[in-house]
Amino acid sequence: MRSRATAYPLIAALGWGVMFPILASALNRVDPLNLTTARYLLAAVVLVAILLLREGAGALRHGGRALEVVVLGVVGFAGFNLLTNLALEHAAPQQIALFVATTPVITQLVRWARDGVRPKPLLLALSLVALLGVGLVITRGSLAGLGQFGLGGLMMIGAVLGWGIYTHGASRFGEWSPLRFTTLTALAGTAAMLALSIGADAVGWQHAPSAADLVAVAPQLAYAVLVGAVIAVLAWNTGVQRLGAANAALFMNLVPVTTFAVQIARGYRPEPVELVGAAITIAALIAANLAARPRTASLPRPSAVTDPVAVTDPAAVTAR
């Protein structure tokens, strides 16, 4: 039974790993802000429909926690997804995927800052090793390549930090279902994305996509919404509930592996140092997740929302 449960986070990790190259290809026709807004407008419709069917209209109420929901939605959904799509204009998908894979470590650091729960020294050491691996991939082992880190890397640091704050905030909503928490925060984040996109179009920072542009990226949008933001996320949350967050989080490390495989299949030829850097990052992150797992097997299994480690992928919480 447990082996069957591992299929759920596996499906999610593979779906998200494929998504980054797909989103990168869509940016050739649609600006990052508009692409992100279009994606989550559609995803929000799907999430609301599922929530209404499963829990009824009462689940759309905030229960006196509207401000908290809005802040987490803006920081998590809007912040992470907008910054990620913007970063894809400045960095390759495989580099972005490696940054996303540092989410487990970042979440631990957020927990330290927010609750005073100090991570294990081993975890901090492994986080530095993971970042070293990311640096090898981005710079290709040359100090001259540090300039490639640039704006895209800084955006991804902000994106992952925002998602860590969002993930930690989810632990305060243990009385809500994962679907309700995800839907309401997604609605808040989508509203912020829409307002920002309208403003950016108005001042000329970007240009509203034409009907032809939207038709051209329809396949990418369909994948990002249905697979990345619905199927993969539902599979992820099912895996978290059945395996526990610590065990399910190990599958996050398959995201960059999948992205690298997709890029190689599309003709990308990584240099040996990039493969070494990716291997270092993945190994360090797996070790960090193992170090963060509870030592006592008899402890009750945490839920997807209340687990203090609560490590999820950015797209993951999208369809909880």
Side-chain angles (χ1 to χ4, degrees), residues 73-195:
V74 171
V75 171
F77 275 99
F80 176 84
N81 290 289
L82 287 176
L83 287 172
T84 297
N85 272 10
L86 287 169
L88 281 169
E89 287 194 320
H90 303 277
Q94 62 269 23
Q95 297 172 356
I96 297 302
L98 280 173
F99 274 105
V100 172
T102 64
T103 301
V105 174
I106 295 297
T107 302
Q108 287 288 328
L109 296 178
V110 169
R111 185 179 176 221
W112 185 11
R114 177 67 174 78
D115 298 336
V117 180
R118 185 188 298 271
K120 299 176 182 178
L122 176 60
L123 184 62
L124 292 178
L126 289 171
S127 69
L128 294 177
V129 175
L131 291 177
L132 173 63
V134 173
L136 286 176
V137 173
I138 294 175
T139 65
R140 297 185 177 181
S142 171
L143 291 178
L146 286 174
Q148 298 179 28
F149 179 84
L151 189 57
L154 293 176
M155 287 178 177
M156 283 311 301
I157 290 175
V160 175
L161 178 60
W163 194 256
I165 293 171
Y166 176 87
T167 301
H168 178 270
S171 65
R172 298 192 294 272
F173 287 79
E175 70 278 14
W176 287 16
S177 70
L179 177 61
R180 181 185 181 189
F181 175 76
T182 301
T183 301
L184 294 184
T185 51
L187 287 173
T190 301
M193 296 178 206
L194 181 60

Side-chain angles (χ1 to χ4, degrees), residues 1 34 37 43 46 55 66 82 93 100 106 113 136 166 184 194-195 213-214 219 244 251 273 289-290 295 308 315:
M1 191 69 176
N34 284 324
T37 301
V46 176
E55 300 186 27
L82 287 176
V100 172
I106 295 297
L136 286 176
Y166 176 87
L184 294 184
L194 181 60
D213 290 329
L214 292 176
F251 289 85
V273 69
N289 275 287
L290 290 172
R295 292 182 179 273

